[in-house]
Amino acid sequence: RSEFRHIKITPNQNYMQFLTTLFRLFDSWIDSAEVDHAFESLRDLMVRDQFLSSVNSDLRIFIKERNIHTAAEMAQAADIYACAHNNYPKERSRYKPVVPKQSEGSEPSIPRNSTAFTVKCFNCNE
């Protein structure tokens, strides 16, 4: 998989040779993953691979330790992990509070406990 993802054409190759190398590496990846050469199996493998590359490293390790073979089982295990660890991705606020610049030694024009310095989410109240 790693070779397939990171391969580059070499200076002594033409594009037909490079394509042949890509097919060989892809077939090797499929065979080593023990995946049928059917569309659904291949689709599942590609989605599982993308899923693993999209999640954080702790969750990736958790899933790999369980030797899961389908994307649905992978998602179910990820939900169990996230629920147990309260580790679902949280939406980050797009807005940052604006803090007026002040010179050293001067008093701030807006008190720190003012609502201008506290931004809260209406959904989760964080």
Side-chain angles (χ1 to χ4, degrees), residues 39-112:
F39 173 75
E40 287 301 317
S41 298
L42 180 60
R43 180 175 175 256
D44 194 71
L45 172 72
M46 298 300 288
V47 169
R48 281 185 290 146
D49 186 66
Q50 183 60 37
F51 186 88
L52 284 176
S53 65
S54 300
V55 298
N56 68 46
S57 61
D58 292 336
L59 179 54
R60 188 177 313 118
I61 291 168
F62 176 82
I63 291 170
K64 284 185 173 184
E65 286 175 342
R66 271 132 194 88
N67 198 21
I68 295 172
H69 298 290
T70 67
E73 291 172 349
M74 192 176 283
Q76 187 177 24
D79 277 333
I80 290 169
Y81 177 89
C83 186
H85 292 88
N86 194 18
N87 196 18
Y88 280 105
K90 294 182 179 164
E91 187 175 335
R92 293 192 174 126
S93 175
R94 291 178 279 187
Y95 305 103
K96 295 181 181 177
V98 177
V99 179
K101 291 185 179 183
Q102 60 185 10
S103 61
E104 286 187 36
S106 68
E107 289 294 315
S109 57
I110 302 173
R112 283 255 178 226

Side-chain angles (χ1 to χ4, degrees), residues 13-27:
Q13 275 185 324
N14 63 32
Y15 287 102
M16 280 306 285
Q17 291 170 330
F18 180 62
L19 183 66
T20 303
T21 304
L22 280 173
F23 275 121
R24 183 183 52 78
L25 289 172
F26 184 78
D27 289 341

